Amino acid sequence: MGSAEPSKDTSERGVRGHRTQAERSAHTRAALLDATIDCLIELGYARTSVHEICARAGVSKGAQQHHFTTKADLMAAAVEHLTHRIGEEIVDAAGSLPPGPQRVERGVELLWQGFSGTLSAAVMELWVAARTDAELKAAIRPVDRALGKSTLALFTSLTGESPSERTETLFWLTVNLIRGLALDAEIGGDAVRRKQLLEEWKRILVGTEAR
């Protein structure tokens, strides 16, 4: 009698259980970055330690240092990681945006939803800390610049505008409004007033697009 063939379930578990070194490395890196964001949001920068991040990620200190040599590098990479994830979510949602003025209005709404929550809180934690931390400032500055460029590309795709000096001006006005409103939300400002300001800015943008 021949030996029984392994069941399909057993074979699948074996395939799933066997990961390449690159996959294991990517998993470790992602776990560290997600844990870093969680710590920034829950504990703030000052109380976030590499030890706490490693504990939450289930990663050893040696593995962490293999990926990120300093705490500043880890913090900057975490913001970049979160930015990419939110950007992908916005791009996916943008596929169903209606044409015309409603596209501009919904585009601004998507940017607000994406960049006013977790990302805003994490970035604000880092920029406040970077004011007196030269190493952190040097680490997050290029990430912030890259964030600006990628978000500008996203803005032009959401509004249907071609890249131009005028588009870039409208973009930075939108970004700085969203940053200001996000800060207002963090310090307990009036939610009704924030909504009114955002609606007014949408109206202004739509009027500008119609010219």
Side-chain angles (χ1 to χ4, degrees), residues 43-63:
L43 305 175
Y45 178 79
R47 292 170 55 209
T48 293
S49 66
V50 173
H51 175 77
E52 176 66 21
I53 292 170
C54 289
R56 293 191 182 209
V59 171
S60 69
K61 183 73 179 294

Side-chain angles (χ1 to χ4, degrees), residues 100-113:
Q102 283 187 317
R103 182 177 183 84
V104 176
E105 294 176 358
R106 286 291 296 126
V108 171
E109 191 65 35
L110 283 177
L111 288 174
W112 165 247
Q113 290 170 358

Side-chain angles (χ1 to χ4, degrees), residues 45-191:
Y45 178 79
R47 292 170 55 209
T48 293
S49 66
V50 173
H51 175 77
E52 176 66 21
I53 292 170
C54 289
R56 293 191 182 209
V59 171
S60 69
K61 183 73 179 294
Q64 174 266 317
Q65 290 178 330
H66 173 75
H67 288 276
F68 307 101
T69 55
T70 68
K71 179 182 177 181
D73 289 337
L74 176 55
M75 294 291 163
V79 170
E80 186 175 27
H81 169 72
L82 180 60
T83 300
H84 288 163
R85 191 171 70 198
I86 290 174
E88 288 172 356
E89 292 172 357
I90 292 175
V91 168
D92 288 343
S96 60
L97 290 181
Q102 283 187 317
R103 182 177 183 84
V104 176
E105 294 176 358
R106 286 291 296 126
V108 171
E109 191 65 35
L110 283 177
L111 288 174
W112 165 247
Q113 290 170 358
F115 293 102
S116 65
T118 303
L119 178 62
S120 173
V123 170
M124 276 192 281
E125 281 289 334
L126 294 184
W127 270 122
V128 170
R131 188 180 69 84
T132 55
D133 187 328
E135 183 181 34
L136 180 61
K137 183 183 293 185
I140 66 172
R141 183 171 288 162
V143 172
D144 193 63
R145 287 173 180 161
L147 171 60
K149 289 180 181 178
S150 63
T151 312
L152 173 58
L154 189 58
F155 179 80
T156 56
S157 69
L158 291 175
T159 60
E161 280 282 305
S162 299
S164 66
E165 184 177 344
R166 172 176 165 278
T167 304
E168 191 164 343
T169 298
L170 291 174
F171 162 72
W172 283 114
L173 283 169
T174 303
V175 166
N176 283 289
L177 172 65
I178 287 175
R179 284 176 172 173
L181 293 178
L183 177 58
D184 182 71
E186 286 291 321
I187 61 177
D190 187 340

